[in-house]
Amino acid sequence: MNHPVRRPALVTALALACSVALTSCTAGPATGPGRAAASPASADPAARPDLKAFYGQRLRWTDCDTEGYACARLTVPRDYDDPGNGKTFVLPVARAEAGKPDRRIGSLVYNPGGPGAAGVQSLQEGMDEAFGRAARDRFDIVAFDPRGVGASVPALTCTASDDEAEEQASEPPVPEGVAPLHPRTEEERTAAAEGARAATEDCERHSGGLLRHVGTQDAARDLDVLRAALGERELTYLGWSYGTSLGTAYAELFPRRVRAMVLDGAIDPSLDWSQRVLSQSAGFRRSVDDYADHCAEVAGDSCPADSPDAIRALVEGLYARAGRAPLPVSEDSSYAEYGGMDATAVLDAVSMAMYTPEDQWEPLSRALAAADAGDATALGALDEEETAPAGEDPAPEETDEVTEEESGDEDSGATEDLTPVDNEGAALTAVNCLDVPHPRDPDAYWDALPRAEKTAGVYGTAGVTAELTCRGWPSGGRTPHRVDADGVVPVLVVGTTGDPSTPYEEAVSLADQFPGGMLLTYEGMGHTAYGRGGACVTKKVDAYLVGLKPVRPGATC
């Protein structure tokens, strides 16, 4: 790896940092309340003649640009209802080979979270080191970029090209001003709705042909094509955060093809959009309280105040000040062009730092103290991370009957460059909005604000407001439902009691929804547990992945 190890929690944090309300989404189709759909065609798509060429692929591995990893490509249909229409996605795949090849069990596929996190980039940055030694010895660790994400071809974008930006500069601007964390007046709500509408239109303008094809159900179908291309009869899988939604969707579509599945940082598919906002927003509010209570233990002398109450007052004071006028930053800050950090930017920075307290609370503390003293530059820089250099374009895989050149896809020419695209924000919005039905009437969002404020304060109201972008989004036609995966092996769900983004209660619920589901509780703070929760978590998860050893009821680390 060429850069410091990026822990799984931080990967998902980066994808979620756009707003605390743009939550990782639920997965799985549904036909009415409480039931997931599973048509005969979707039950075993490998048997469909029109998918035979996709399922018949064999990956051609070549060295990645990063030493120690192998890269390949996988071709999947753009539309599983019409796979022969000539339109495809080409998905980058990467693997770290098993440490003990003579004892290799097979491939262990993972998803680092998001939605929007590029799996291939995460692996080449050392994500395999988050797995326990037992798992790394016995499995090839495999990652892929989901459809529309990262170096997928085509990839989602909601950003104008330079030429388009010049043309748009002459158009009437969207109303500007300091965006409040709780829009109360008609003017504030109109501005919020207009801003959300403009964001939706930007995505429709630049990726309109993709938006209906990047949902989690389709990504789960891609995962099964990958399983076949890897030569695996059954899937061994680990998903962090949004990766739990992808795993849940796969288990519902292909319950008898799961060998072992670990879902860490669980998302409950039975929650509707407003319930998800309230759940996650309350999680962030509790985590910020935890920060105030435990700052001295974790950050020591770096804490921005000398008592929990004083820390809470400082944070709330910064929100209030930024709500009146942006907090000052230096000229070289990425926030300088906006006049500083507004309240939403400050809240996002604080919230993101809740993912890995052991890594982020000290820099957060110093940044908060500096912002309180009049300079928010360090606070604005918390979410800035060095971008890894792009690797060389890997050679195409052997795809039997399916190749990019033969697919007839008008976008196939883009495959000349598989440089990862920084489109986490676009993918986050696109997948969430497609996966979770949202009301079209803006009054539904305003009506949700009082409850959100009561449940989670400004974290809740900002979360509800951020969901406005989904109001005009294409609908995936699914509804919240309990897991329907009869015949699946016992799935291991891992929940962290102080998780800010995927609250522990959702892990308890998801484990209960799986037939034979197992729950491993990690008593700690931060987002997800495997890879950062210590030897106890690693030992139990690895024992399950390697030897299929069950976790006893009530297991806690």
Side-chain angles (χ1 to χ4, degrees):
M1 171 181 181
N2 297 327
H3 302 275
V5 173
R6 181 187 289 177
R7 296 177 183 271
L10 185 53
V11 173
T12 52
L14 292 171
L16 291 167
C18 301
S19 168
V20 297
L22 290 177
T23 63
S24 296
C25 57
T26 59
T31 55
R35 294 293 296 177
S39 67
S42 67
D44 190 6
R48 287 171 48 182
D50 56 358
L51 291 176
K52 182 179 179 180
F54 295 100
Y55 270 91
Q57 294 175 79
R58 290 296 177 264
L59 298 174
R60 179 184 173 188
W61 297 101
T62 61
D63 290 340
C64 297
D65 188 58
T66 302
E67 185 178 357
Y69 301 95
C71 286
R73 297 181 191 172
L74 181 77
T75 302
V76 296
R78 183 88 57 92
D79 185 351
Y80 276 93
D81 290 333
D82 187 13
N85 68 3
K87 297 182 179 181
T88 63
F89 283 101
V90 179
L91 310 181
V93 184
R95 75 178 179 191
E97 294 185 354
K100 295 182 177 179
D102 57 326
R103 301 188 63 200
R104 177 183 176 276
I105 295 172
S107 298
L108 196 172
V109 182
Y110 77 87
N111 178 278
V120 169
Q121 184 175 348
S122 78
L123 184 61
Q124 293 189 71
E125 291 179 348
M127 192 70 160
D128 50 312
E129 296 178 30
F131 291 80
R133 169 54 59 187
R136 298 202 307 272
D137 281 346
R138 304 297 298 279
F139 292 99
D140 293 341
I141 307 299
V142 176
F144 71 106
D145 288 3
R147 51 176 53 215
V149 171
S152 159
V153 178
L156 286 163
T157 180
C158 297
T159 304
S161 66
D162 292 341
D163 290 342
E164 290 174 319
E166 290 182 8
E167 293 178 7
Q168 292 173 11
S170 62
E171 297 177 0
V174 174
E176 295 181 355
V178 176
L181 296 176
H182 186 166
R184 299 177 186 275
T185 68
E186 189 65 29
E187 182 181 9
E188 289 172 343
R189 293 181 177 185
T190 297
E194 284 298 301
R197 180 190 58 77
T200 300
E201 290 179 351
D202 283 344
C203 289
E204 186 74 47
R205 182 181 302 115
H206 298 102
S207 295
L210 304 181
L211 298 184
R212 291 167 177 80
H213 300 293
V214 295
T216 300
Q217 184 184 15
D218 282 335
R221 293 172 183 266
D222 297 343
L223 184 56
D224 198 54
V225 175
L226 175 59
R227 171 202 59 77
L230 291 167
E232 302 291 348
R233 186 175 63 87
E234 296 176 316
L235 177 71
T236 301
Y237 175 84
L238 188 147
W240 283 284
S241 194
Y242 164 75
T244 68
S245 285
L246 180 58
T248 298
Y250 185 90
E252 291 185 311
L253 287 168
F254 310 102
R256 300 186 187 280
R257 288 201 188 136
V258 178
R259 174 190 169 272
M261 180 173 286
V262 177
L263 306 178
D264 183 5
I267 295 167
D268 183 351
S270 71
L271 304 182
D272 66 21
W273 77 273
S274 61
Q275 292 169 326
R276 282 226 31 78
V277 170
L278 292 178
S279 175
Q280 187 182 56
S281 299
F284 277 110
R285 184 181 194 177
R286 288 194 299 266
S287 290
V288 175
D289 279 339
D290 286 341
Y291 163 68
D293 290 335
H294 300 284
C295 182
E297 303 166 26
V298 178
D301 294 338
S302 298
C303 292
D306 57 7
S307 72
D309 285 344
I311 293 173
R312 291 187 185 92
L314 185 150
V315 172
E316 291 167 4
L318 287 176
Y319 292 159
R321 286 162 55 186
R324 293 189 293 270
L327 301 183
V329 296
S330 64
E331 292 182 359
D332 59 351
S333 169
S334 59
Y335 286 95
E337 63 178 302
Y338 306 110
M341 293 187 74
D342 68 8
T344 299
V346 175
L347 182 140
D348 285 348
V350 172
S351 299
M352 179 180 148
M354 298 301 107
Y355 283 81
T356 50
E358 64 275 17
D359 295 329
Q360 296 175 284
W361 280 9
E362 280 196 45
L364 170 67
S365 297
R366 291 191 292 269
L368 288 173
D372 188 50
D375 183 2
T377 303
L379 189 63
L382 287 179
D383 62 350
E384 295 177 0
E385 184 174 78
E386 181 182 358
T387 302
E392 296 178 359
D393 185 17
E397 79 289 0
E398 297 174 357
T399 58
D400 292 343
E401 298 174 35
V402 178
T403 67
E404 298 161 48
E405 292 77 16
E406 296 169 355
S407 70
D409 189 348
E410 71 272 15
D411 297 308
S412 62
T415 60
E416 292 302 315
D417 182 10
L418 286 189
T419 300
V421 176
D422 183 12
N423 65 351
E424 289 177 307
L428 175 72
T429 303
V431 178
N432 282 338
C433 293
L434 186 64
D435 276 8
V436 182
H438 282 70
R440 301 291 182 183
D441 185 352
D443 286 342
Y445 301 86
W446 313 140
D447 291 345
L449 286 174
R451 184 183 175 197
E453 182 177 42
K454 181 178 180 180
T455 300
V458 293
Y459 303 93
T461 56
V464 168
T465 304
E467 293 292 312
L468 279 167
T469 302
C470 295
R471 182 169 68 93
W473 209 267
S475 174
R478 293 180 287 159
T479 58
H481 63 276
R482 291 182 62 82
V483 173
D484 185 3
D486 290 343
V488 74
V489 299
V491 170
L492 175 57
V493 179
V494 184
T496 300
T497 55
D499 195 313
S501 180
T502 53
Y504 176 70
E505 294 80 7
E506 294 193 39
V508 174
S509 176
L510 185 63
D512 181 65
Q513 292 176 47
F514 273 105
M518 302 176 292
L519 176 67
L520 173 60
T521 298
Y522 170 55
E523 294 183 338
M525 297 175 291
H527 184 42
T528 73
Y530 186 66
R532 59 172 295 270
C536 174
V537 173
T538 298
K539 182 178 180 180
K540 291 183 185 299
V541 171
D542 282 5
Y544 167 73
L545 288 170
V546 173
L548 304 179
K549 181 179 179 180
V551 172
R552 62 174 176 78
T556 302
C557 289

